[in-house]
Amino acid sequence: MSESPTFEELFRNCRRTAVHLEMRDAYMMTDPAFTDWQAGVDLDPAERWADWHAIVTEATARGVEVRRARIVSVPVSEYIRFEYAVTDGLNIAAGEDVRWLSRRRATEISLPGNDFWLFDSRLVVVNHFDGEGENMDLEVTEDPDVAKLCEAAFEAVWQRATPHAEFRPAE
């Protein structure tokens, strides 16, 4: 692909499935929403991330199945407690299905080296982060071998993971 599509374009063009695998215990620690949450500020996730909420809601309304799996260390980090706290109001409210998997239960799964989105089992968006969890860049590929690896990894995680409604982050 010559030019990377935006996330809005990816979701708009998606017809069947959009899956996201997250494997870090912290992301973007400088995110104002995270620092507000740490300070006890009440957050309305659908309002705070209105663009994201709208993109996902529109895709799920068209029948796109959006699933997100998070592999986390247990006990969870403060950042994962934040993600858990906003998941109902953001991800679930937009129509995503979310599951959580303890890192200990992921040992036997072959995983790619980076978080990714997989659209319609063919287009992979690889998320690259620095050591502090700050977003560096995205890599977009339609390589069938990469898509197959990511799909297999996601499905293996999904099968072992706990649905969001049943997951309880350890204090």
Side-chain angles (χ1 to χ4, degrees):
M1 301 186 98
S2 57
E3 189 175 310
S4 294
T6 66
F7 262 87
E8 184 175 344
E9 292 167 333
L10 291 169
F11 271 95
R12 196 165 276 140
N13 294 328
C14 188
R15 297 292 167 238
R16 297 180 325 277
T17 60
V19 301
H20 185 39
L21 182 60
E22 298 177 9
M23 299 183 282
R24 297 181 59 92
D25 286 320
Y27 295 88
M28 301 168 286
M29 304 291 286
T30 59
D31 178 352
F34 176 60
T35 56
D36 284 352
W37 177 83
Q38 285 179 304
V41 174
D42 284 333
L43 298 176
D44 177 350
E47 181 181 306
R48 188 76 172 239
W49 294 283
D51 290 344
W52 176 254
H53 189 269
I55 290 167
V56 175
T57 300
E58 191 272 334
T60 59
R62 284 193 339 270
V64 174
E65 178 185 32
V66 181
R67 297 183 293 159
R68 178 184 303 258
R70 294 175 169 145
I71 299 174
V72 298
S73 297
V74 175
V76 299
S77 68
E78 185 173 19
Y79 190 87
I80 295 301
R81 282 195 299 279
F82 159 69
E83 278 194 333
Y84 180 82
V86 301
T87 294
D88 277 322
L90 179 62
N91 309 97
I92 303 297
E96 288 185 52
D97 195 359
V98 179
R99 293 190 182 179
W100 304 80
L101 181 64
S102 164
R103 193 169 308 286
R104 287 184 178 272
R105 296 193 58 223
T107 301
E108 300 90 20
I109 302 172
S110 294
L111 298 167
N114 297 291
D115 291 12
F116 63 85
W117 277 93
L118 175 63
F119 294 93
D120 291 331
S121 301
R122 64 167 189 76
L123 189 141
V124 180
V125 177
V126 180
N127 303 102
H128 293 285
F129 298 93
D130 69 15
E132 300 298 321
E134 297 296 326
N135 190 23
M136 291 175 32
D137 59 21
L138 302 175
E139 175 186 350
V140 178
T141 181
E142 293 187 71
D143 181 315
D145 292 332
V146 174
K148 185 177 177 180
L149 168 71
C150 290
E151 185 168 43
F154 183 87
E155 292 304 330
V157 168
W158 192 255
Q159 293 306 313
R160 291 175 184 228
T162 302
H164 176 71
E166 298 170 21
F167 182 75
R168 299 292 174 258
E171 294 297 325

CSV table of all heavy atoms in Angstrom, one decimal, residues 72-93:
chain,number,residue,atom,x,y,z
A,72,VAL,N,-2.7,-9.4,30.0
A,72,VAL,CA,-2.3,-8.6,31.1
A,72,VAL,C,-1.6,-9.4,32.1
A,72,VAL,O,-1.9,-10.5,32.4
A,72,VAL,CB,-3.4,-7.8,31.7
A,72,VAL,CG1,-4.1,-6.8,30.7
A,72,VAL,CG2,-4.5,-8.7,32.3
A,73,SER,N,-0.6,-8.7,32.8
A,73,SER,CA,0.0,-9.3,34.0
A,73,SER,C,-1.0,-9.2,35.1
A,73,SER,O,-1.7,-8.2,35.2
A,73,SER,CB,1.3,-8.6,34.3
A,73,SER,OG,2.2,-8.7,33.3
A,74,VAL,N,-1.0,-10.2,36.0
A,74,VAL,CA,-1.9,-10.2,37.2
A,74,VAL,C,-1.0,-10.4,38.4
A,74,VAL,O,-0.2,-11.4,38.4
A,74,VAL,CB,-2.9,-11.3,37.1
A,74,VAL,CG1,-3.8,-11.4,38.4
A,74,VAL,CG2,-3.8,-11.1,35.9
A,75,PRO,N,-1.1,-9.5,39.4
A,75,PRO,CA,-2.0,-8.4,39.5
A,75,PRO,C,-1.7,-7.4,38.4
A,75,PRO,O,-0.6,-7.2,38.0
A,75,PRO,CB,-1.8,-7.9,40.9
A,75,PRO,CG,-0.5,-8.4,41.4
A,75,PRO,CD,-0.2,-9.6,40.6
A,76,VAL,N,-2.8,-6.7,38.1
A,76,VAL,CA,-2.7,-5.7,37.0
A,76,VAL,C,-2.0,-4.4,37.4
A,76,VAL,O,-2.0,-4.1,38.5
A,76,VAL,CB,-4.1,-5.4,36.4
A,76,VAL,CG1,-4.8,-6.7,35.8
A,76,VAL,CG2,-5.0,-4.7,37.4
A,77,SER,N,-1.5,-3.8,36.4
A,77,SER,CA,-0.9,-2.5,36.6
A,77,SER,C,-1.9,-1.4,36.8
A,77,SER,O,-3.1,-1.6,36.5
A,77,SER,CB,0.0,-2.1,35.4
A,77,SER,OG,-0.8,-1.8,34.2
A,78,GLU,N,-1.5,-0.2,37.2
A,78,GLU,CA,-2.4,0.9,37.4
A,78,GLU,C,-3.0,1.3,36.1
A,78,GLU,O,-4.2,1.6,36.0
A,78,GLU,CB,-1.7,2.1,38.0
A,78,GLU,CG,-2.7,3.2,38.4
A,78,GLU,CD,-2.0,4.3,39.1
A,78,GLU,OE1,-0.8,4.5,39.1
A,78,GLU,OE2,-2.8,5.1,39.7
A,79,TYR,N,-2.3,1.2,35.0
A,79,TYR,CA,-2.8,1.6,33.7
A,79,TYR,C,-3.9,0.6,33.3
A,79,TYR,O,-4.9,1.0,32.7
A,79,TYR,CB,-1.7,1.6,32.6
A,79,TYR,CG,-2.2,2.2,31.3
A,79,TYR,CD1,-2.2,3.6,31.2
A,79,TYR,CD2,-2.8,1.4,30.4
A,79,TYR,CE1,-2.8,4.1,30.0
A,79,TYR,CE2,-3.4,2.0,29.2
A,79,TYR,CZ,-3.4,3.3,29.1
A,79,TYR,OH,-3.9,3.9,27.9
A,80,ILE,N,-3.7,-0.7,33.5
A,80,ILE,CA,-4.7,-1.7,33.2
A,80,ILE,C,-6.0,-1.5,34.0
A,80,ILE,O,-7.1,-1.7,33.5
A,80,ILE,CB,-4.2,-3.1,33.3
A,80,ILE,CG1,-3.0,-3.4,32.3
A,80,ILE,CG2,-5.3,-4.2,33.1
A,80,ILE,CD1,-3.4,-3.2,30.8
A,81,ARG,N,-5.8,-1.1,35.3
A,81,ARG,CA,-7.0,-0.7,36.1
A,81,ARG,C,-7.8,0.4,35.4
A,81,ARG,O,-9.0,0.4,35.4
A,81,ARG,CB,-6.6,-0.4,37.5
A,81,ARG,CG,-6.4,-1.6,38.4
A,81,ARG,CD,-6.3,-1.3,39.8
A,81,ARG,NE,-5.3,-0.4,40.3
A,81,ARG,CZ,-4.0,-0.7,40.5
A,81,ARG,NH1,-3.6,-1.9,40.3
A,81,ARG,NH2,-3.2,0.2,40.9
A,82,PHE,N,-7.0,1.4,34.9
A,82,PHE,CA,-7.7,2.5,34.1
A,82,PHE,C,-8.4,2.0,32.9
A,82,PHE,O,-9.6,2.3,32.7
A,82,PHE,CB,-6.6,3.5,33.7
A,82,PHE,CG,-6.9,4.4,32.6
A,82,PHE,CD1,-7.9,5.4,32.8
A,82,PHE,CD2,-6.3,4.3,31.4
A,82,PHE,CE1,-8.2,6.2,31.7
A,82,PHE,CE2,-6.6,5.1,30.3
A,82,PHE,CZ,-7.6,6.1,30.5
A,83,GLU,N,-7.7,1.1,32.1
A,83,GLU,CA,-8.4,0.6,30.9
A,83,GLU,C,-9.7,-0.2,31.3
A,83,GLU,O,-10.7,-0.1,30.7
A,83,GLU,CB,-7.5,-0.4,30.2
A,83,GLU,CG,-6.5,0.3,29.3
A,83,GLU,CD,-5.8,-0.7,28.3
A,83,GLU,OE1,-5.7,-1.9,28.6
A,83,GLU,OE2,-5.5,-0.2,27.2
A,84,TYR,N,-9.6,-1.0,32.4
A,84,TYR,CA,-10.7,-1.7,32.8
A,84,TYR,C,-11.9,-0.8,33.2
A,84,TYR,O,-13.0,-1.0,32.9
A,84,TYR,CB,-10.3,-2.6,34.0
A,84,TYR,CG,-11.5,-3.4,34.6
A,84,TYR,CD1,-11.8,-4.6,34.0
A,84,TYR,CD2,-12.2,-3.0,35.7
A,84,TYR,CE1,-12.9,-5.4,34.4
A,84,TYR,CE2,-13.3,-3.7,36.1
A,84,TYR,CZ,-13.6,-4.9,35.5
A,84,TYR,OH,-14.7,-5.6,36.0
A,85,ALA,N,-11.5,0.3,33.9
A,85,ALA,CA,-12.5,1.3,34.4
A,85,ALA,C,-13.2,2.0,33.2
A,85,ALA,O,-14.4,2.3,33.4
A,85,ALA,CB,-11.8,2.3,35.3
A,86,VAL,N,-12.6,2.1,32.1
A,86,VAL,CA,-13.3,2.8,31.0
A,86,VAL,C,-13.8,1.9,29.9
A,86,VAL,O,-14.5,2.3,29.0
A,86,VAL,CB,-12.3,3.9,30.3
A,86,VAL,CG1,-11.9,4.9,31.3
A,86,VAL,CG2,-11.2,3.2,29.6
A,87,THR,N,-13.6,0.6,30.0
A,87,THR,CA,-14.0,-0.3,29.0
A,87,THR,C,-15.5,-0.4,28.8
A,87,THR,O,-16.0,-0.4,27.7
A,87,THR,CB,-13.4,-1.7,29.3
A,87,THR,OG1,-12.0,-1.7,29.2
A,87,THR,CG2,-14.0,-2.8,28.3
A,88,ASP,N,-16.3,-0.4,29.9
A,88,ASP,CA,-17.8,-0.5,29.8
A,88,ASP,C,-18.3,0.7,29.0
A,88,ASP,O,-19.1,0.6,28.1
A,88,ASP,CB,-18.4,-0.6,31.1
A,88,ASP,CG,-18.5,-2.0,31.7
A,88,ASP,OD1,-18.7,-2.9,30.9
A,88,ASP,OD2,-18.3,-2.2,32.9
A,89,GLY,N,-17.8,1.9,29.4
A,89,GLY,CA,-18.4,3.2,28.9
A,89,GLY,C,-17.8,3.5,27.5
A,89,GLY,O,-18.4,4.3,26.8
A,90,LEU,N,-16.7,2.8,27.1
A,90,LEU,CA,-16.2,3.1,25.8
A,90,LEU,C,-16.3,1.9,24.8
A,90,LEU,O,-17.1,1.9,23.9
A,90,LEU,CB,-14.7,3.5,25.9
A,90,LEU,CG,-14.0,3.8,24.6
A,90,LEU,CD1,-14.6,5.0,23.9
A,90,LEU,CD2,-12.5,4.0,24.8
A,91,ASN,N,-15.6,0.9,25.1
A,91,ASN,CA,-15.5,-0.3,24.2
A,91,ASN,C,-16.9,-1.0,24.1
A,91,ASN,O,-17.4,-1.2,23.0
A,91,ASN,CB,-14.4,-1.2,24.6
A,91,ASN,CG,-13.1,-0.5,24.8
A,91,ASN,OD1,-12.7,-0.1,25.9
A,91,ASN,ND2,-12.4,-0.2,23.7
A,92,ILE,N,-17.4,-1.4,25.3
A,92,ILE,CA,-18.6,-2.2,25.3
A,92,ILE,C,-19.8,-1.3,24.8
A,92,ILE,O,-20.6,-1.8,24.0
A,92,ILE,CB,-18.9,-2.7,26.7
A,92,ILE,CG1,-17.7,-3.5,27.3
A,92,ILE,CG2,-20.2,-3.5,26.8
A,92,ILE,CD1,-17.4,-4.8,26.5
A,93,ALA,N,-19.8,-0.1,25.2
A,93,ALA,CA,-20.9,0.8,24.8
A,93,ALA,C,-20.9,1.0,23.3
A,93,ALA,O,-22.0,1.2,22.7
A,93,ALA,CB,-20.8,2.2,25.5
